[in-house]
Amino acid sequence: MATFHLKVMTVDRCFCDEEVDRIVIRTTQGDVGILPGHVPYVAALGIGGLTIIQDGKPRTAAVSGGFVDVTREQTVVLARTCEWADEIDVNRAREAAERARAVLKQHESEHEQNVAQVRFKKAINRIRIAENK
């Protein structure tokens, strides 16, 4: 089966640097599948999942923010955050969701509401990814 090179980087680590069969990643416009030979493509990442299929086996990670850049040579994902489903501390994610929900209920400034809403979405995404491994 044909493969392509995938490099996933975050601010603090090289998350993945391998040959893969395909990926599915959440962009701000929805989920996008990348296969070998994909046309050049650049998109902003949303809050969602990154599924990497390697040797026919899927592995999923929680991703938030950044972008994906597909060229003929490789696919590069630069993500603000990215963590494998089995690395996620679900209790910590639930606590983060509760803290964000509490701020949302307080009707703080518009800026505080926006920040809390993003934190809430990230926490819920981490929980969803971890529980569906």
Side-chain angles (χ1 to χ4, degrees):
M1 174 180 263
T3 62
F4 63 95
H5 191 81
L6 173 67
K7 184 178 272 190
V8 180
M9 304 288 295
T10 66
V11 238
D12 58 348
R13 70 176 170 158
C14 179
F15 188 78
C16 176
D17 191 2
E18 301 174 1
E19 293 296 311
V20 300
D21 302 339
R22 65 185 185 274
I23 68 169
V24 177
I25 191 163
R26 174 72 46 91
T27 71
T28 56
Q29 302 301 305
D31 289 348
V32 174
I34 308 292
L35 297 166
H38 196 285
V39 297
Y41 174 78
V42 175
L45 298 180
I47 297 170
L50 164 63
T51 301
I52 299 171
I53 295 89
Q54 189 174 35
D55 298 324
K57 298 176 200 141
R59 190 157 186 214
T60 304
V63 176
S64 66
F67 72 92
V68 58
D69 179 21
V70 180
T71 65
R72 295 270 181 225
E73 294 78 35
Q74 68 179 348
T75 295
V76 176
V77 174
L78 295 176
R80 186 169 295 130
T81 64
C82 189
E83 60 187 317
W84 293 117
D86 56 6
E87 294 177 344
I88 295 172
D89 181 337
V90 177
N91 290 328
R92 191 171 139 237
R94 284 195 175 105
E95 291 168 3
E98 287 306 314
R99 284 191 305 272
R101 185 178 286 130
V103 172
L104 289 169
K105 288 180 181 178
Q106 293 174 3
H107 305 292
E108 297 289 334
S109 69
E110 185 177 341
H111 173 72
E112 291 292 326
Q113 291 287 301
N114 291 339
V115 169
Q117 191 171 41
V118 169
R119 288 182 177 160
F120 182 74
K121 287 179 182 177
K122 285 181 180 180
I124 294 301
N125 180 58
R126 293 176 71 232
I127 294 165
R128 181 183 61 83
I129 295 294
E131 291 181 344
N132 291 318
K133 14 179 176 181

